[in-house]
Amino acid sequence: MKIDHIGIATERASAAAIWQHLLGAEEVHSEDVPDQGVRVTMLPIGESRVELLEPLSADSPVGRFLEKRGPGIHHLAIRVENIREILERLRAKGVRLIDETPRLGAGGCLVAFIHPSAANGVLLELVEHQQ
Ligand code: ZN
């Protein structure tokens, strides 16, 4: 396991320019993930990434997060080899999951969220990269 990315809620995709400037990131990839109601912009930092999340609508999860808490760190994403196996193990331990089964995330990855109440108030995302 390792840290795949850190998700940051932002009101505008133009935040990417700020982060590019801060990190010197050259390759930037953006895509809409309608299932999660967000436009995602990924900025690579070594083996990890910063993921900027801009809500596609005010009533999306990130839209509600921004309204309540303003821009800032939204979640921490851990890269795993076998997301289904890990979800199964966590479920058996009684961990509160947001996603019982993986769904398709940005970049064609399989993702699943673990409820913040299970991880000291931190929203955790599991990410399995597909070949
Ligand atoms: Zn993420």
Side-chain angles (χ1 to χ4, degrees):
M1 286 189 187
K2 58 181 162 184
I3 293 184
D4 185 81
H5 64 264
I6 295 167
I8 295 174
T10 174
E11 270 138 11
R12 286 170 301 137
S14 59
I18 296 166
W19 283 85
Q20 267 182 291
H21 181 68
L22 280 172
L23 305 171
E26 284 170 16
E27 260 183 68
V28 171
H29 169 75
S30 290
E31 72 179 272
D32 288 355
V33 184
D35 182 45
Q36 291 169 37
V38 286
R39 179 163 182 78
V40 169
T41 301
M42 288 287 192
L43 298 101
I45 315 173
E47 288 191 341
S48 297
R49 298 172 292 169
V50 162
E51 178 187 67
L52 299 175
L53 303 160
E54 179 197 8
L56 293 175
S57 67
D59 65 351
S60 63
V62 173
R64 289 192 295 272
F65 177 94
L66 283 169
E67 196 184 305
K68 255 193 272 175
R69 299 165 71 165
I73 293 181
H74 179 262
H75 66 269
L76 181 62
I78 311 290
R79 187 181 300 194
V80 299
E81 292 286 319
N82 187 335
I83 196 168
R84 287 185 176 86
E85 189 185 293
I86 289 176
L87 283 173
E88 195 59 48
R89 202 186 312 155
L90 293 174
R91 199 172 19 242
K93 285 182 185 168
V95 172
R96 188 170 169 196
L97 304 173
I98 292 174
D99 299 306
E100 293 283 328
T101 53
R103 51 182 155 142
L104 207 55
C109 293
L110 289 177
V111 305
F113 285 91
I114 298 168
H115 198 275
S117 65
N120 294 102
V122 177
L123 176 61
L124 276 183
E125 180 184 14
L126 302 174
V127 182
E128 179 185 324
H129 285 246
Q130 311 272 69
Q131 290 310 328

